[in-house]
Amino acid sequence: MSGAKRNPFELDLERNAANYAPLTPLTFIEWSAYAYPARTAVVHGRRRYTWADTYARSRRLAGALAGRGIGPGDTVAAVLSNTPEMYECHFGVPMAGAVLNTINTRLDPESIAFMLNHGEAKVLITDREFAPTVGRALARTERRPLVIDVDDSEFDGPGERLGELDYEAFIAQGDPRFAWRPPADEWQAIALNYTSGTTGNPKGVVYSHRGAYLNAVSNLVTWSMPRHSVYLWTLPMFHCNGWCFPWSMAANAGVNVCLRKVDAAGIFGLMREHRVTHYCGAPIVHTMLINAPAELRRGIDWKVSAFVAAAAPPAAMIEGMERIGFDLTHVYGLTEVYGPASVCAKHDEWSDLPAGERAARNGRQGVRYVLQEGMAVMDPQTMQPVPWDGETMGEIMFRGNITMKGYLKNPRATAEAFAGGWFHSGDLAVTHPDGYVKIKDRAKDIIISGGENVSSLEIEEALYRHPAVLACAVVAKPDPKWGEAPCAFVELKPEARATEAELVEHCRAHLARFKVPKAVVFGVLPKTSTGKIQKFALRQQARSASAIE
């Protein structure tokens, strides 16, 4: 036989400018500005910008950056609250060909300095509120970037100016008709996001234009978001680029309602004022709304849809959201998969189940996002899927277009993360008989007591069912007899009372005896800026207490 079979569908049918364009979420804002130029795009206090305004301001930013020589391969960092400037950075920076590095506003100067140095930021756009911390970070940089100050009218506190000029003066140097172009290759980097770095320096996660485009669309499809939705920015835009929702909302031609500070009164007030339809957040944000005085929710009589993301949202929180009339959907992901990459896709028949069973179904990590190609619970040694028995634990793994390019300047960590052709999440889980995934714990959070694996999340789930518990976290505490034993850290609701003995007895009614916490510590729990409880700090506290004992 001579040669391989000829495929007539691939002969003389080549990609060209007429039938192929690199995917980039930048085309979303161009479309909304063209189709709906006069519709409101961004709201912040008294400020209002249409889609035409926002597109023009983003192009001005791109032009001003290009005028300073910023282009492909350069990093522009941002230490900003959820303001119009932060939203514009998601378009203006990549329009100049550069990479946007949004930095957590609650980090310490050393961490911020590391990110500025490691990412080689050429420009830093920063809000005056964070000047004390950012100023100390800049003093530690190897090469000081060009600093642009944002002077937000909604910030009324002190804050010195660190930069050469402010944001409005800077973008005034740019052309509102700046002729940006999509990247020649959709694999080109669009954003840089750093992991938490709780055990050493954080890793720089690199996103591509292609991945950002697909996850932005996947958000809309997964949530069935109607055109012109009104989205409240409770989720920080610095967190995984706001789970790609800055780009999603441009494709939606919706309204971005900015929120500088997360508190119940402010959230409910903006919901009423702008008739908010959608918002995202960690469990602590939703719990705060559930426990807020009922009068704050008065007048919100339309459907409000919410995304919650965490290792496992407690059933008590899911039931609480039902009570206040909010439609909650659980999503799951990590920085390395652009934020959410799986969803607990709901089934109509679940609505007929008792509240507890319904909450248990809705609290699972579920199935892959529609535009993520693969999600499975696998044995990391054999790289084979675990049985769908709801009992055999493995590691959650992803693969597909909604997965990072890799870690910046860290080929070893990249290779480890992608071993076997899958991204290893580090989350331990089971697969239920219906194929839905349920997290049992982070690999580093599992408690091994007397040779038994104890899920910290299972204990937390029981604690959250106590009416006095606002927030809780369970970690391993060294134990002379069992090796490790569960230690619970509990934050009580305002005005609520509970004793250690009472909570231990409560857990005994819901858990096997070896899973019951051996100690309960009361106090305000340390949290990240996105509302996640910092278990690494609690583990250190538990170890220190054990050493003293």
Side-chain angles (χ1 to χ4, degrees):
M1 294 182 64
S2 59
K5 179 182 177 181
R6 289 163 56 87
N7 184 342
F9 295 100
E10 301 303 328
L11 294 174
D12 303 317
L13 300 175
E14 303 295 336
R15 286 188 294 188
N16 60 72
N19 64 20
Y20 172 81
L23 300 179
T24 172
L26 303 182
T27 57
F28 297 152
I29 192 171
E30 179 186 45
W31 181 84
S32 285
Y34 184 91
Y36 300 103
R39 287 195 70 96
T40 300
V42 180
V43 173
H44 185 49
R46 296 183 178 178
R47 287 198 276 169
R48 302 286 188 278
Y49 297 115
T50 65
W51 280 109
D53 296 332
T54 303
Y55 185 38
R57 287 173 60 84
S58 298
R59 293 169 81 180
R60 280 189 180 277
L61 173 58
L65 290 170
R68 296 292 183 119
I70 302 301
D74 294 329
T75 303
V76 176
V79 182
L80 297 171
S81 293
N82 285 351
T83 62
E85 294 81 7
M86 180 63 129
Y87 190 77
E88 292 157 12
C89 281
H90 280 79
F91 298 93
V93 171
M95 281 177 182
V99 175
L100 175 62
N101 174 208
T102 56
I103 295 177
N104 188 326
T105 59
R106 292 189 180 179
L107 291 176
D108 57 85
E110 291 76 14
S111 296
I112 294 175
F114 171 82
M115 293 172 186
L116 294 175
N117 288 327
H118 186 262
E120 301 180 36
K122 298 285 183 65
V123 178
L124 169 62
I125 302 174
T126 182
D127 192 297
R128 278 197 306 116
E129 178 180 358
F130 313 118
T133 301
V134 172
R136 292 196 293 274
L138 286 169
R140 293 173 168 82
T141 54
E142 297 164 4
R143 175 181 160 187
R144 183 184 173 94
L146 170 67
V147 180
I148 309 298
D149 290 309
V150 168
D151 191 0
D152 180 21
S153 59
E154 295 300 301
F155 172 62
D156 56 5
E160 63 177 305
R161 298 185 184 280
L162 302 173
E164 289 76 356
L165 68 169
D166 68 24
Y167 183 85
E168 293 300 327
F170 182 66
I171 68 171
Q173 300 173 1
D175 185 350
R177 297 179 178 274
F178 177 74
W180 66 275
R181 294 179 180 176
D185 185 349
E186 60 190 19
W187 188 240
Q188 182 176 315
I190 190 172
L192 171 66
N193 289 282
Y194 283 90
T195 59
S196 58
T198 56
T199 54
N201 285 329
K203 297 189 285 287
V205 177
V206 182
Y207 292 173
S208 70
H209 281 254
R210 175 182 178 81
Y213 178 103
L214 292 170
N215 209 35
V217 172
S218 217
N219 283 334
L220 299 178
V221 174
T222 298
W223 217 354
S224 300
M225 291 184 78
R227 177 77 69 207
H228 310 311
S229 293
V230 182
Y231 182 85
L232 178 62
W233 276 105
T234 47
L235 176 76
M237 283 189 233
F238 65 66
H239 184 48
C240 306
N241 295 106
W243 299 352
C244 295
F245 271 97
W247 300 308
S248 298
M249 291 310 295
N252 181 262
V255 181
N256 294 275
V257 180
C258 294
L259 178 68
R260 191 175 180 91
K261 181 182 178 183
V262 174
D263 67 79
I267 289 172
F268 286 126
L270 288 173
M271 283 183 176
R272 263 191 308 275
E273 181 181 357
H274 302 291
R275 206 171 177 84
V276 166
T277 59
H278 295 76
Y279 76 97
C280 298
I284 193 69
V285 175
H286 306 292
T287 300
M288 176 185 65
L289 299 184
I290 293 166
N291 291 301
E295 58 266 22
L296 292 180
R297 299 195 302 271
R298 191 166 292 125
I300 301 174
D301 55 5
W302 60 90
K303 178 182 175 182
V304 177
S305 298
F307 262 3
V308 60
M317 185 212 71
I318 295 174
E319 292 169 8
M321 291 296 284
E322 283 191 8
R323 284 196 305 273
I324 68 173
F326 285 20
D327 182 37
L328 186 70
T329 298
H330 176 48
V331 292
Y332 159 76
L334 306 91
T335 303
E336 288 87 343
V337 288
Y338 294 72
S342 80
V343 59
C344 188
K346 299 178 183 179
H347 291 242
D348 292 340
E349 54 268 29
W350 294 357
S351 61
D352 298 326
L353 296 172
E357 278 189 57
R358 189 166 61 249
R361 298 282 182 98
N362 286 325
R364 297 180 295 176
Q365 284 55 57
V367 298
R368 63 179 175 83
Y369 247 31
V370 67
L371 297 183
Q372 178 69 297
E373 278 63 38
M375 173 188 181
V377 178
M378 304 175 75
D379 182 322
Q381 302 304 317
T382 65
M383 293 302 292
Q384 294 299 310
V386 301
W388 290 16
D389 57 12
E391 295 182 2
T392 307
M393 280 205 295
E395 183 178 0
I396 296 179
M397 300 189 192
F398 290 99
R399 67 178 175 191
N401 292 300
I402 308 175
T403 306
M404 66 173 179
K405 286 166 65 81
Y407 296 117
L408 182 67
K409 304 176 186 174
N410 199 336
R412 179 177 178 179
T414 300
E416 290 174 355
F418 291 152
W422 289 77
F423 166 68
H424 297 240
S425 73
D427 284 325
L428 302 180
V430 298
T431 304
H432 282 242
D434 62 357
Y436 274 51
V437 169
K438 172 65 175 178
I439 284 183
K440 289 299 183 181
D441 224 328
R442 288 287 295 173
K444 63 185 178 184
D445 291 337
I446 202 78
I447 301 165
I448 304 175
S449 185
E452 297 280 357
N453 286 346
V454 179
S455 166
S456 66
L457 298 181
E458 184 180 356
I459 305 172
E460 290 163 10
E461 180 75 30
L463 284 167
Y464 271 115
R465 290 196 171 279
H466 191 283
V469 174
L470 174 66
C472 67
V474 175
V475 300
K477 181 179 180 180
D479 186 273
K481 181 177 181 180
W482 303 108
E484 291 180 341
C487 176
F489 290 82
V490 174
E491 184 175 335
L492 297 176
K493 295 176 182 177
E495 311 303 324
R497 297 288 182 271
T499 65
E500 180 178 32
E502 180 184 345
L503 291 183
V504 168
E505 192 60 34
H506 169 80
C507 287
R508 282 179 179 153
H510 293 85
L511 300 168
R513 185 165 290 272
F514 73 92
K515 297 179 180 180
V516 174
K518 300 295 188 290
V520 178
V521 181
F522 294 98
V524 177
L525 302 184
K527 304 176 187 72
T528 68
S529 55
T530 59
K532 293 181 180 178
I533 296 170
Q534 295 176 312
K535 280 194 172 182
F536 74 93
L538 298 178
R539 280 194 292 269
Q540 292 171 353
Q541 187 176 334
R543 284 195 296 267
S544 298
S546 180
I548 293 172
E549 294 169 3

